[in-house]
Amino acid sequence: MLNNFFGTLQGWLWLQGFVVLGHWLLSVGATRLALAGCGLKVLASACFCLQPMTGIDGFRAGAGFWWSNLVGILFFHSGNTLSVVDFAMSPPPGVDKKEGWLYPGNLPVTGMWFYWFATWVLIPANFLATEWGGDGASWVDGNGAVVQGLQYAGAVLLLGGSLVYGVWCDALNLRRW
């Protein structure tokens, strides 16, 4: 039950974050592709809320909807893909393609590539661990080494992307704290 509570909380926080991002993108006149990518991430966040919320309600003995995490990661990856394409077609201010990936102006693009690779790794983890139809067996044991390895790799890549964005916006400047 506690697991589902925190799962719902994280999905809700992601949902709020992407709604705020959408508002910011509108206010700065972002491209339609950027807005579409953000919209897909809003949908993904809503899907990430469904499984734990329905688990709290006791659906499937606390397991919740079987499909929502898989659909969520597909929406999230699609949104990241649109963001990567948008950055290639309309680079954000400060980007210098002649500089390296860690050049300060290139960090938003670098962070998005981390997220894109992370969702590429999380898609097979979800496909393999999904209990198809809600009562079927997953393709492999969700607690097995393959799925867990993919999930940890995806988590590390998401963390890496978040750290890149943290450096870019100076959130990791410990002298301020």
Side-chain angles (χ1 to χ4, degrees):
M1 181 71 113
L2 199 55
N3 207 13
N4 283 332
F5 169 76
F6 284 111
T8 302
L9 180 62
Q10 68 81 27
W12 178 248
L13 291 173
W14 278 47
L15 180 62
Q16 288 180 336
F18 285 120
V19 167
V20 169
L21 174 64
H23 180 270
W24 178 76
L25 289 172
L26 280 169
S27 71
V28 298
T31 66
R32 288 181 185 240
L33 205 52
L35 292 168
C38 182
L40 288 170
K41 294 171 195 177
V42 167
L43 288 174
S45 300
C47 288
F48 290 146
C49 288
L50 289 176
Q51 183 274 327
M53 281 184 357
T54 56
I56 289 171
D57 193 37
F59 188 74
R60 286 192 333 123
F65 288 156
W66 66 270
W67 52 267
S68 64
N69 283 341
L70 176 62
V71 172
I73 199 63
L74 292 172
F75 277 136
F76 194 40
H77 180 68
S78 299
N80 288 343
T81 300
L82 290 183
S83 295
V84 166
V85 169
D86 181 56
F87 281 169
M89 293 173 58
S90 306
V95 167
D96 187 346
K97 293 181 181 182
K98 295 175 187 161
E99 296 291 337
W101 286 93
L102 298 179
Y103 175 71
N106 295 341
L107 290 178
V109 177
T110 303
M112 188 52 59
W113 275 103
F114 266 90
Y115 288 164
W116 187 79
F117 283 119
T119 52
W120 258 128
V121 172
L122 291 170
I123 286 172
N126 275 270
F127 265 103
L128 292 171
T130 294
E131 295 173 354
W132 297 94
D135 55 3
S138 59
W139 291 345
V140 300
D141 179 16
N143 295 317
V146 172
V147 172
Q148 295 238 334
L150 290 168
Q151 289 175 335
Y152 281 120
V156 167
L157 287 165
L158 287 172
L159 176 61
S162 295
L163 290 173
V164 168
Y165 279 111
V167 168
W168 172 69
C169 72
D170 206 24
L172 301 176
N173 182 349
L174 299 178
R175 288 175 279 162
R176 288 188 302 157
W177 301 94

